[in-house]
Each structure stands twice: as C-alpha cells, then as structure tokens.
Amino acid sequence: MSNLKSGVISRRKALSLLGLATLGLTVPVTVLTVSDAEAQAQQPAPAAPVTGTERRQERRTGRVKRRTARRAARRKGRAERRELRREGGEEKK
C-alpha cells in the first residue's frame, strides 16, 4: 500500500471549495460598491404599543370591556323579560 492519496476529491470538499471561492469573489465586490443613494429619514413610530406586555394588557382590557358590555346587556334583557312576565301575569288575573 502506498501512502499517496488518490486524486479523487469528495463532493463535500468540492462544494466547500466552490462556496469559499464564491464568497471570496463576492465580498470584495460588495465592499467596494459605492452607492449614491441618500439615507431615508426615519418615520415616526406608529401609535401601536411596542412591547409584548403592552399589547397583552390592551388585549386584556379589551376583553374586560367586551365582557362587561355582554353582562350588562344580559342583565338588561333579563330585567325586561322579568318585567314583561310580571305585567303579563297581572293581566291574566
């Protein structure tokens, strides 16, 4: 057996060499590219909350408001139906 390596190169090594060669060619081009574009002014942030805690708190507040509105509507409906039953019961007598 000889200690000489065969001239065959594996696919993995060939792809890594190709990738390194591509990277070596593209990096200098992107570094040397000069753009005439000016920086855009930063737009003001929207009024929406930024942090997750604030968003969560808004969702909770919205749920509480919707829940209290539903409960109030149910109470009002029950009171109206109760009143109709009371008035209807008196007319039958």
Side-chain angles (χ1 to χ4, degrees), residues 30-85:
T30 57
V31 170
L32 296 176
T33 304
V34 178
S35 176
D36 293 334
E38 295 181 14
Q40 294 179 349
Q42 215 174 11
Q43 295 180 354
V50 178
T51 64
T53 305
E54 291 172 353
R55 284 194 306 266
R56 187 179 319 114
Q57 188 60 41
E58 280 190 5
R59 284 195 311 267
R60 287 179 177 176
T61 304
R63 281 195 300 263
V64 169
K65 286 180 181 179
R66 289 190 305 270
R67 186 183 313 132
T68 54
R70 280 194 313 266
R71 289 177 179 172
R74 280 196 301 257
R75 275 190 224 110
K76 182 180 176 186
R78 284 187 203 122
E80 289 173 356
R81 289 189 301 272
R82 190 177 307 121
E83 192 62 33
L84 283 175
R85 282 194 307 267

